[in-house]
Each structure stands twice: as C-alpha cells, then as structure tokens.
C-alpha cells in the first residue's frame, strides 16, 4: 500500500487550517495527534523527533520529508491539487494576494492570540493583548464587508487559516457580535462540509463550530 501523508495536529490548534486544506483538496492523509504540552504522540513517542520546534502542524510527505510551518504546508497542499482552487497558480499575482493574507494572518492575527491562552499572564497584559487583537478584528471587518471570502468568491487556504484562528474566540469567550462581517465569514466557512468533517475528526464540539 502507498504510504499516506501524515498530518501532525492538536485539536482546534492552528493545524486545523492544514487539516481543512487537506480535506478541501481531497487528498488522502492520516491524522497523528500530538500533545503540544508534553510533546508526545499518542503512542508515547517524542514529537520533537518529528518537529524539533515542538509545534503543530507538521506534514510528513509520502517521501519521508517533513514540512513544518502552516503557511508552507497549506500552500504545499494547495499545489498538490491546483484544480481545487485552494491557491491560485504559483507565480501569478493572485497567488501573491493569497500570500499577503497568509502572512498577515500568521504574523498579525495568529500570534496576537498567544497571551490570551496564558493562564499565568498578568491581567494588564491580557487587556493589552485583547485591545491589540480587537484592532486587527476591526480591520478584518472592514476587509470582509460585502465579500464572501478574503480574496473574493473563491475559498482559499487563507480562508481556512483565518477561520481557524478566529475560531479560538469560542474557547476564549470573545463575542464576535461587534464584527458582524467577520462573524458571518466564520459561519460561512464553518458551514462547509469539509470544514465540518475536519472539526468532527478533531473532536471539536458544536460550540467551537
Ligand atoms: N510558526 C508556526 C507556529 C505554530 C504554532 O504556533 N503552533 C501552536 C499551536 S497553534 C503550537 O504547537 N504551540 C506549542 C508550542 O509551540 O510549543 C506555524 O505557523 O506553523
């Protein structure tokens, strides 16, 4: 039997964006759960042996290579199935637009959540982090008004990524009512059958959807 790609993930983490991308692309893969705290896989083996950075996602390719960094993994997946439209053709201007979004999400939105997960963080730090994150939401709101997805009518890996990180508001008790276009975007992406499948496979409950 052909070896399958393996996606190392943690439920609901940023690896969900790569997971959604694999399902949207219709590629065969196996899921491997990693504990990002203990750095162990379910069989007790060391996750650092897969990704020495200790973070998910990591994608083990059929040829044994391991690719890390979500933005690289998602584009790799999209390029395995160009007809899926998950990313425009490499080198096209439209591709740079998707890369512009991926970079913004990873550097400005994804990591802005980090202090909010830290139970030891000082309340003043959390307050600052929330205000900073909400400024990003204000800008995203202005960009999503009247739009179906980030780059127009087509769903891309950038949409999978934004959905995944904004979904964390469900776990942090942040109400998106102040950002109706962003909330509508989340609902639109959550309704996609492949997104539902990915969330069910990660054991995410209805509230997180
Ligand atoms: N730069 C990495 C960051 C990935 C990342 O932050 N992963 C988180 C989960 S969302 C994680 O595994 N954190 C545990 C750790 O880094 O020790 C990427 O974009 O793929």
């Amino acid at each position: 039997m052909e070896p399958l790609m393996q996606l190392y993930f943690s439920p609901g983490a940023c690896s969900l964006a790569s997971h959604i991308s694999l399902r949207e692309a219709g590629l065969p893969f196996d899921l491997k759960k990693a504990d990002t705290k203990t750095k162990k896989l379910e069989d007790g083996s060391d996750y650092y042996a897969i990704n020495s950075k200790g973070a998910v996602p990591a994608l083990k390719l059929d040829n044994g290579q391991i690719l890390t960094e979500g933005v690289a993994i998602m584009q790799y997946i999209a390029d395995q199935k160009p007809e899926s439209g998950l990313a425009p053709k490499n080198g096209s201007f439209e591709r740079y637009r998707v890369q512009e979004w991926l970079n913004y999400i990873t550097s400005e939105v994804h990591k802005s959540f980090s202090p909010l997960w830290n139970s030891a963080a000082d309340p003043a730090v959390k307050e600052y982090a929330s205000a900073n994150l909400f400024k990003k939401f204000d800008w995203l709101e202005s960009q999503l008004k009247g739009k179906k997805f980030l780059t127009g009518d087509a769903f891309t890996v950038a949409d999978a990524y934004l959905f995944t990180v904004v979904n964390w508001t469900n776990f942090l008790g942040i109400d998106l009512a102040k950002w109706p276009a962003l909330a509508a975007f989340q609902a639109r992406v959550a309704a996609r059958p492949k997104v539902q499948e990915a969330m069910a496979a990660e054991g995410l409950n209805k509230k997180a959807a």
Side-chain angles (χ1 to χ4, degrees), residues 69-91:
E69 298 299 318
V71 164
I73 292 172
M74 284 182 267
Q75 292 186 78
Y76 175 84
I77 292 167
D79 288 339
Q80 299 314 297
K81 270 286 177 81
E83 65 274 25
S84 68
L86 283 169
K89 193 173 163 358
N90 217 346

Side-chain angles (χ1 to χ4, degrees), residues 56-114:
V56 290
L59 186 67
K60 189 166 183 187
L61 309 182
D62 305 357
N63 64 9
Q65 289 253 23
I66 293 172
L67 190 63
T68 65
E69 298 299 318
V71 164
I73 292 172
M74 284 182 267
Q75 292 186 78
Y76 175 84
I77 292 167
D79 288 339
Q80 299 314 297
K81 270 286 177 81
E83 65 274 25
S84 68
L86 283 169
K89 193 173 163 358
N90 217 346
S92 65
F93 187 73
E94 291 75 21
R95 178 61 168 261
Y96 293 113
R97 281 283 179 227
V98 169
Q99 286 169 338
E100 186 179 32
W101 273 114
L102 290 170
N103 195 66
Y104 178 77
I105 298 162
T106 201
S107 60
E108 305 290 338
V109 189
H110 178 168
K111 289 298 167 181
S112 293
F113 276 92
S114 300

Side-chain angles (χ1 to χ4, degrees), residues 9-10 12-16 18 34-37 39 47-48 51 53-58 68-74 106-107 110-111 114 117 161 164-165 168:
F9 82 106
S10 173
C14 52
S15 44
L16 176 62
S18 298
D35 186 321
T36 51
K37 287 198 175 70
K39 310 296 180 193
Y47 182 57
Y48 281 120
N51 181 3
K53 289 177 276 193
V56 290
T68 65
E69 298 299 318
V71 164
I73 292 172
M74 284 182 267
T106 201
S107 60
H110 178 168
K111 289 298 167 181
S114 300
W117 294 117
Y161 195 14
T164 294
V165 297
W168 294 339

Side-chain angles (χ1 to χ4, degrees), residues 6-20 22-23 29-37 40-42 47 50-51 54-60 73 197-204:
Q6 297 181 332
L7 178 70
Y8 292 86
F9 82 106
S10 173
C14 52
S15 44
L16 176 62
S18 298
H19 185 180
I20 291 171
L22 280 165
R23 287 181 191 267
F29 65 98
D30 270 343
L31 280 174
K32 295 273 180 197
K33 191 149 114 185
D35 186 321
T36 51
K37 287 198 175 70
K40 297 278 183 220
L41 296 173
E42 283 187 301
Y47 182 57
I50 302 294
N51 181 3
V56 290
L59 186 67
K60 189 166 183 187
I73 292 172
E197 267 180 32
M199 296 190 76
E202 294 199 9
L204 300 172

